[in-house]
Amino acid sequence: MLVTRGFKGKRRGGDADRLRLPPGQFLTPEFPVLTAGPTQQTQIDRWTLALQHGGSLLGKWSWEQFEGLPQTEITSDIHCVTKWSKFDTRWRGVTIDDLLRAAGLDAAPTGFLMAHCDGGYTTNLLVADLIGARAMIATHFDDLPLLPSHGGPARLLVPHLYFWKSAKWVRRLAFREEDSPGFWESQGYHLRGDPWREQRYEGDQ
Ligand SMILES: Nc1nc2c(c(=O)[nH]1)N[C@H]1C(S)=C(S)[C@@H](COP(=O)(O)O)O[C@H]1N2
Ligand SMILES: [Mo]
């Protein structure tokens, strides 16, 4: 089958690509692995995902239960704060909206969220950045189960923020009223990390 690619895909490095790159980023066809510490080897039969609000548990899913939730595909560009960007990455998983619905919530709690991972990595987020089909718990990349190096069996995906917010091996999402820094944020990175506003470091507007 002959597939004709759209105008955008034709000229790598052309004007269309440059407009698509946030300031200070360069385009790579690679998929680099960036992890602080060792790759986690999480066993599916021991995996659970928990949703918390303050001290209380809103929901908890085993792998089997999680696989039964509505699946969504997202194709998006991703941007790492170390300046590589990758276009058109294809993911499948469960949107945060669907996760909230599965927990029986009509609306997301207001405020903030901390994502907690196997291995101890954390990252803080605005709840507003997670809803409206802009974020998911991703289990597949390019139709294949997510490799451990890229956060498999499941990672948070928030592609409109710098990629450090997309927490690999995520296991617990904790809603909270106050914001506080996660792992990289407490080492000088920005609390929100919008690549289009170049919010790389603490103090960037
Ligand atoms: N648990 C965990 N998640 C993480 C990280 C990490 O060190 N541990 N690194 C972050 C950073 S800095 C980036 S750029 C992306 C890299 O994801 P990748 O290895 O799939 O490219 O994962 C993010 N999520
Ligand atoms: Mo990163």
Side-chain angles (χ1 to χ4, degrees):
M1 185 175 63
L2 184 73
V3 179
T4 309
R5 300 190 71 188
F7 174 74
K8 262 195 216 158
K10 279 190 178 160
R11 282 172 42 231
R12 284 283 176 248
D15 290 348
D17 283 355
R18 270 198 295 279
L19 287 172
R20 232 171 124 179
L21 273 178
Q25 297 293 112
F26 69 87
L27 187 58
T28 180
E30 309 296 321
F31 193 175
V33 169
L34 275 99
T35 307
T39 293
Q40 300 298 307
Q41 305 288 343
T42 306
Q43 281 175 261
I44 290 285
D45 56 353
R46 295 206 189 138
W47 184 92
T48 52
L49 182 73
L51 199 59
Q52 296 179 323
H53 189 192
S56 61
L57 189 65
L58 299 175
K60 193 171 186 178
W61 297 268
S62 68
W63 185 259
E64 214 186 343
Q65 292 167 329
F66 189 76
E67 278 191 310
L69 299 180
Q71 302 285 307
T72 301
E73 276 199 18
I74 289 182
T75 299
S76 189
D77 302 345
I78 54 176
H79 312 289
C80 174
V81 74
T82 62
K83 303 200 169 177
W84 58 268
S85 290
K86 183 172 175 60
F87 286 168
D88 293 321
T89 60
R90 275 180 57 227
W91 307 83
R92 173 153 70 82
V94 177
T95 62
I96 303 301
D97 311 84
D98 282 331
L99 200 64
L100 290 168
R101 230 166 273 136
L105 299 185
D106 298 330
T110 52
F112 307 92
L113 178 142
M114 187 71 85
H116 297 264
C117 306
D118 280 341
Y121 185 86
T122 53
T123 191
N124 59 302
L125 292 134
L126 279 166
V127 174
D129 277 318
L130 294 171
I131 56 178
R134 292 201 297 169
M136 63 161 49
I137 304 292
T139 55
H140 288 72
F141 179 80
D142 265 351
D143 294 322
L144 295 172
L146 204 50
L147 295 173
S149 57
H150 286 301
R155 78 181 296 167
L156 188 61
L157 176 70
V158 194
H160 69 283
L161 298 179
Y162 281 124
F163 209 34
W164 89 76
K165 296 289 184 181
S166 293
K168 303 194 278 192
W169 315 294
V170 69
R171 294 291 298 277
R172 188 157 60 89
L173 300 175
F175 291 103
R176 57 236 308 273
E177 255 114 71
E178 316 245 305
D179 201 12
S180 64
F183 177 79
W184 282 119
E185 296 84 3
S186 57
Q187 296 185 54
Y189 284 86
H190 197 272
L191 284 175
R192 177 150 184 265
D194 179 346
W196 291 100
R197 297 167 73 174
E198 225 178 340
Q199 295 172 333
R200 297 179 192 275
Y201 308 110
E202 194 183 343
D204 290 346
Q205 295 303 299

